[in-house]
Amino acid sequence: MSTLRIDREAADGAIVRRPGFGLLRALRQGPLFAGAAAVLVLLVLIAVFAPLIAPYDPDAVDLTATLAGSSSEHLLGADQSGRDILSRVIHGARTGLLGPLLVVGISTFLGIAIGVAAAWRGGWIDAMLSRSMDLIFAFPGMLVAILFVAVFGSGLTAPVIAMSVAYTPYVGRLVRSIAGQEKARPYIESYRVQGWSGWTICVRHLIPNITPTVLAQSAINFGYALMDLAALSYLGFGVQPPDSDWGSMINEGQAALLQDAMLPSFAPGLCIVVAVVAFGIVGEGIADRVAKRER
Amino acid sequence: MTGSVTRTSGTTGDKGADAVDATLEVVDLCKAFGGHRAVDGVSFTLAPGGSLGIVGESGCGKTTTARMLVGLVSPDSGSIRVGGRERSAPTRNRAERLARAREMQMVFQDPYLSLDPRVVVRECVEEVLRLHFDLTREQRTARVVELLDQVGLGEREASALPKALSGGQRQRVAIARALAAEPKVLILDEAVAALDVSIQAQILDLLAGIRRDAGVGFLFVSHDLAVVRHITEDVVVLRGGRVVEAGPTVDVLTEPRHTYTRLLLDSVPRVGWDPARIAADRRALEREAGGSSGD
């Protein structure tokens, strides 16, 4: 029982980073963190005030402007149906952010509930919950999402539910690991000695103390979820035309590429990249700050 | 150092008749971790308001014993009674949990880990009062001030977070928090081991004062024989989970009957101290014990 400080980064179930995002880790502190955070705030504002900002109705068809290039009338040009791309990109931010927000919200909530229950109760409850999470890990999220779409129909609901289920074990495994370490800390043990119920200790003390780490994971998950949902839309399983969505816009813009019009697919693609990178940098930055505070 | 200590009669109101007998009886306590018998048939008695030391080297089972007493570890067999009430089985309901917490509280070894980093000192003591006693807000506030005053902390420390306090101050907070539940027995698990020597003296002095004034029984778990000699009346020497010697502290520590106790006493550094001889004595003792103790 000497002063034992546990290195969270080294522990099993540390924050899950997908391969290919290693580059982002180099950019996660300093002005870039601030810049990424500013981009995210801007995105949220654009999504919230989309109807006020957008110069045109995103669904207004103007066949005279088909595949128009960038001009003062259409800053980012127009697509095959002559719809203003800027307005569609701005409105696309709404579904683009709402979907991942729901996925991250639901998966964080479920992940915390499952992870804390597994860590606190241990024994067969832990074994059962952990094996269930392993089972979900075994299925690619995309495949589950396509299955759900086949059963419940396309739109935002089915992919969001499927992605929430697919992301829950990422959060759950992390929470189980850090809640297990937290449970063994003397301050939690002293609450038990004081006579508090396990429920009260978990809700009032344990969960708030692990929240920063969980939030860092959730911010990173947000980027992944955004990308996954955009991919589903691109494949035609998510938001359906004519509703504007970045993923489906890239799909619709593919044909325009052959006619030398780059903007219809390039503009929404760039939005996805910027949003995912910004969430990645912010998530990594939070994770770093938490790790620093731990030491 | 601390002002005079008087207990308010208002907060002891709901304790009733059971306050009379507060004898702690531990009989034949056993706990094994895997194949290792950490605690093996330990028995001792602590009279109401008495002071008992449990000494032994690291790994002798003293911390496990303390954790079983407060219910953080459940014993394999044996009984723990306070005032005749059995407390070795897991608690079944809230009333039982609270009653046990009022029988025994614990101060942990490391004050840097035993306080919730998010909770200010005042709140940390107040929540114990809220859990255990039916007091008005004013009564609670007054009692918090009184408890903090009892351990020598003032208004400035009361509104501070643990990270703003020194080790000695944190341990005072931990003691005030333990006393808030008005326990009959206070377990001090290496409670001064993490503090430097001059602070140790202050805390020991404080504890002696509290025992004199509040009539709490002390169970002092320590490897530090000088500290045990200073603060306890009786002592139990543990080795490999078994009691090898027990009796009044003065007798045991001046005229030890068991070779192991003598070895412990000889191990304390002083003028003319010869670590090589002690290591040789230890090997001889282990040979003597033969196969009876595994380690």
Side-chain angles (χ1 to χ4, degrees):
Chain A
M1 280 293 284
S2 62
T3 50
L4 182 73
R5 293 189 195 279
I6 299 152
D7 185 2
R8 282 202 177 152
E9 287 289 312
D12 158 62
I15 284 183
V16 184
R17 291 160 162 127
R18 281 194 192 174
F21 279 64
L23 258 179
L24 292 186
R25 301 189 62 188
L27 310 173
R28 63 196 161 183
Q29 285 298 338
L32 253 157
F33 179 81
V39 168
L40 293 189
V41 171
L42 191 70
L43 273 177
V44 171
L45 290 178
I46 288 175
V48 171
F49 297 108
L52 302 177
I53 303 168
Y56 295 91
D57 177 346
D59 299 329
V61 176
D62 175 10
L63 289 174
T64 57
T66 301
L67 292 182
S70 184
S71 67
S72 57
E73 249 173 273
H74 297 284
L75 279 178
L76 291 178
D79 64 6
Q80 296 97 313
S81 314
R83 295 173 297 192
D84 182 51
I85 291 174
L86 179 63
S87 304
R88 288 184 70 72
V89 165
I90 289 172
H91 276 268
R94 297 191 130 185
T95 51
L97 294 183
L98 181 67
L101 185 70
L102 290 171
V103 169
V104 165
I106 297 170
S107 65
T108 304
F109 179 81
L110 290 178
I112 288 178
I114 293 173
V116 169
W120 190 264
R121 299 302 296 269
W124 67 269
I125 293 177
D126 180 22
M128 193 188 73
L129 292 175
S130 296
R131 294 299 81 75
S132 312
M133 289 196 286
D134 290 347
L135 201 70
I136 297 173
F137 267 128
F139 294 98
M142 283 291 206
L143 221 59
V144 179
I146 293 170
L147 178 77
F148 271 50
V149 171
V151 176
F152 300 111
S154 55
L156 202 57
T157 321
V160 162
I161 294 173
M163 282 296 149
S164 302
V165 172
Y167 277 93
T168 298
Y170 285 98
V171 183
R173 201 172 57 168
L174 172 80
V175 169
R176 177 182 169 274
S177 146
I178 57 176
Q181 292 166 17
E182 210 69 15
K183 186 195 172 193
R185 289 182 179 218
Y187 83 89
I188 292 289
E189 292 191 329
S190 74
Y191 281 123
R192 288 170 62 193
V193 172
Q194 282 167 24
W196 297 97
S197 66
W199 171 262
T200 312
I201 297 174
C202 286
V203 171
R204 296 237 320 252
H205 303 287
L206 196 151
I207 292 172
N209 271 304
I210 63 172
T211 298
T213 315
V214 179
L215 280 185
Q217 174 73 65
S218 293
I220 296 171
N221 281 353
F222 200 108
Y224 297 145
L226 194 154
M227 209 158 50
D228 285 349
L229 288 175
L232 282 170
S233 303
Y234 171 80
L235 294 173
F237 295 112
V239 179
Q240 295 298 302
D243 287 348
S244 51
D245 177 88
W246 295 343
S248 56
M249 282 172 76
I250 297 179
N251 188 12
E252 289 164 29
Q254 276 184 123
L257 280 178
L258 300 175
Q259 299 167 47
D260 284 342
M262 206 171 65
L263 281 171
S265 58
F266 185 75
L270 191 70
C271 288
I272 293 173
V273 170
V274 167
V276 172
V277 168
F279 274 109
I281 293 173
V282 168
E284 294 281 358
I286 299 174
D288 260 19
R289 273 149 218 235
V290 172
K292 235 178 246 165
R293 213 185 51 186
E294 287 296 312
R295 270 181 244 125
Chain B
M1 178 177 47
T2 60
S4 67
V5 180
T6 47
R7 302 180 89 189
T8 48
S9 53
T11 56
T12 52
D14 56 342
K15 293 175 81 174
D18 65 346
V20 182
D21 185 16
T23 310
L24 166 65
E25 289 172 285
V26 173
V27 182
D28 215 13
L29 204 59
C30 293
K31 178 73 188 180
F33 295 111
H36 173 64
R37 300 180 73 84
V39 176
D40 193 2
V42 168
S43 304
F44 55 81
T45 305
L46 171 64
S51 179
L52 176 75
I54 298 183
V55 299
E57 61 198 358
S58 305
C60 72
K62 53 191 195 305
T63 292
T64 306
T65 304
R67 290 168 64 83
M68 280 193 280
L69 294 183
V70 292
L72 288 172
V73 174
S74 52
D76 293 341
S77 65
S79 91
I80 304 163
R81 283 194 292 269
V82 174
R85 284 205 295 175
E86 184 61 44
R87 55 179 284 144
S88 55
T91 51
R92 285 186 300 272
N93 55 44
R94 179 182 151 89
E96 202 172 74
R97 211 169 54 224
L98 294 183
R100 282 191 194 178
R102 282 199 296 268
E103 285 168 2
M104 224 185 279
Q105 279 295 311
M106 178 155 159
V107 174
F108 289 82
Q109 173 175 13
D110 191 341
Y112 289 90
L113 299 175
S114 67
L115 298 175
D116 190 336
R118 289 174 48 259
V119 179
V120 299
V121 169
R122 181 185 294 114
E123 178 61 25
C124 157
V125 177
E126 193 180 348
E127 59 190 9
V128 181
L129 296 176
R130 208 179 307 134
L131 179 66
H132 285 283
F133 305 107
D134 196 13
L135 299 176
T136 64
R137 182 187 291 270
E138 291 75 29
Q139 284 173 313
R140 253 200 329 262
T141 313
R143 181 75 180 128
V144 168
V145 171
E146 187 185 17
L147 279 162
L148 289 177
D149 180 57
Q150 191 172 353
V151 296
L153 296 175
E155 183 55 34
R156 193 189 68 78
E157 290 88 1
S159 44
L161 280 173
K163 69 175 177 209
L165 301 179
S166 68
Q169 286 171 324
R170 288 183 204 207
Q171 201 60 302
R172 286 164 193 265
V173 175
I175 292 168
R177 181 179 63 178
L179 290 174
E182 306 192 356
K184 294 166 187 142
V185 177
L186 186 60
I187 298 179
L188 299 137
D189 180 15
E190 302 273 14
V192 294
L195 307 174
D196 58 47
V197 182
S198 61
I199 307 294
Q200 278 191 11
Q202 286 179 18
I203 299 287
L204 289 174
D205 190 37
L206 170 72
L207 288 170
I210 287 168
R211 189 163 80 88
R212 204 170 46 238
D213 300 327
V216 184
F218 277 5
L219 190 74
F220 210 95
V221 179
S222 182
H223 66 275
D224 191 334
L225 296 175
V227 166
V228 168
R229 192 195 300 260
H230 178 78
I231 203 160
T232 67
E233 289 152 4
D234 298 291
V235 70
V236 172
V237 182
L238 284 190
R239 177 164 189 257
R242 291 169 178 276
V243 177
V244 295
E245 190 165 0
T249 309
V250 182
D251 298 353
V252 172
L253 296 188
T254 46
E255 288 172 34
R257 288 194 305 274
H258 196 278
T259 28
Y260 177 68
T261 315
R262 208 167 303 136
L263 183 75
L264 275 184
L265 283 163
D266 288 345
S267 306
V268 178
R270 62 176 170 276
V271 179
W273 179 63
D274 181 5
R277 190 178 62 79
I278 290 156
D281 283 354
R282 163 171 288 278
R283 281 194 296 276
L285 182 70
E286 266 152 27
R287 263 201 306 281
E288 205 176 289
S292 67
S293 114
D295 47 4

